[in-house]
Amino acid sequence: MKLKEFYEEIHGDYNEILTRLMKEERIEKFVLKLLEKNPLNDLKEKIDQRNWQDAFVCAHTLKGLSLNLSFTDFTEKVSDLTELLRYASDETINLEQVNQAYSIVKANYENIVKAIQKYK
């Protein structure tokens, strides 16, 4: 699988990332780093602890990572979760909605990891 095919499989924007980083080697370096540590672990831990501020920070960081790598489809999913957490408190949170959004993010992220492993 070529890098462009990887981006097609995950519904990312290959041309955008290539314009930004200019070389496939740079793109590959950052994409492969996603196999080193799963950022969803921290996010899930914060949600389970009902630590809404830190959960928001984790989701927002993941959104930034996704934007920087031009993972277009994933960015949309993690943005939805980020917005649910932005002003969350124990009084305002809809835990079912947050868990559902997290499940969507997790499934999408797992698809990205599988695609990276195929690419690698």
Side-chain angles (χ1 to χ4, degrees), residues 61-76:
T61 300
L62 192 56
K63 176 182 163 185
L65 173 74
S66 181
L67 279 167
N68 284 327
L69 290 173
S70 299
F71 291 173
T72 311
D73 192 47
F74 184 65
T75 299
E76 182 181 308

Side-chain angles (χ1 to χ4, degrees), residues 80-81 84 96-106:
D80 292 343
L81 178 58
L84 286 172
E96 184 179 326
Q97 203 174 19
V98 168
N99 284 328
Q100 183 178 18
Y102 173 81
S103 292
I104 292 168
V105 166
K106 181 180 180 205

Side-chain angles (χ1 to χ4, degrees), residues 33-74:
K33 280 191 175 281
L34 290 176
L35 296 178
E36 293 174 13
K37 183 181 178 200
N38 183 344
L40 293 182
N41 292 337
D42 290 339
L43 176 57
K44 180 64 172 150
E45 179 182 313
K46 301 307 179 194
I47 290 171
D48 289 346
Q49 294 171 350
R50 297 176 189 225
N51 183 338
W52 306 123
Q53 184 175 0
D54 287 351
F56 167 75
V57 170
C58 289
H60 194 268
T61 300
L62 192 56
K63 176 182 163 185
L65 173 74
S66 181
L67 279 167
N68 284 327
L69 290 173
S70 299
F71 291 173
T72 311
D73 192 47
F74 184 65

